[in-house]
Amino acid sequence: MFFQMQAISPIILGLTAPIALTTGAITSLVAASISGAVNYFVLLPVTQGIKEERKKVAKEYSGDELELKDAPLRKSFGQSHGLSLLLNMTNVLGTLAYGIYLSKGIFKYIPK
């Protein structure tokens, strides 16, 4: 659900913007949405597959043999999880950048 919201909420924000969006604002929302979509459609299935494989290996092996079979799976899981965290950060920064663009645009309409 979290990754779905990461992918969809920037689109909703862009469609409901109270001002005309600049190229920077649109770019930040696109980056945020793409990072959520990659997390959901690519990394989530990969990570879940690795977790299932680790469970299968844990049932079949024990001791040193388990360690030998599980070590590459742990490494793969760590890599995919780390990439997911990077994409989470991209989503947060894209949304933050959009907020900055939005606030600059709204402040133009406030009388001084």
Side-chain angles (χ1 to χ4, degrees):
M1 187 82 142
F2 178 73
F3 296 142
Q4 288 173 329
M5 291 305 297
Q6 274 188 338
I8 295 170
S9 62
I11 296 168
I12 294 170
L13 287 171
L15 293 174
T16 60
I19 59 171
L21 297 179
T22 63
T23 304
I26 293 169
T27 302
S28 65
L29 288 174
V30 167
S33 186
I34 288 174
S35 66
V38 170
N39 250 337
Y40 182 67
F41 291 111
V42 178
L43 289 176
L44 182 62
V46 167
T47 305
Q48 287 175 335
I50 294 168
K51 285 172 62 176
E52 290 301 316
E53 184 66 24
R54 287 188 71 200
K55 288 178 185 177
K56 182 180 169 186
V57 166
K59 286 181 182 179
E60 293 178 16
Y61 300 98
S62 64
D64 290 339
E65 197 172 24
L66 172 61
E67 178 61 31
L68 184 65
K69 298 280 186 182
D70 193 45
L73 293 173
R74 281 195 318 267
K75 183 176 181 180
S76 294
F77 180 82
Q79 289 171 340
S80 66
H81 195 261
L83 188 53
S84 178
L85 291 173
L86 179 64
L87 290 170
N88 287 339
M89 183 61 71
T90 303
N91 183 274
V92 168
L93 292 175
T95 306
L96 177 64
Y98 169 72
I100 292 169
Y101 283 114
L102 183 64
S103 65
K104 285 180 181 179
I106 289 175
F107 284 131
K108 288 180 185 177
Y109 297 104
I110 296 175
K112 295 180 182 182

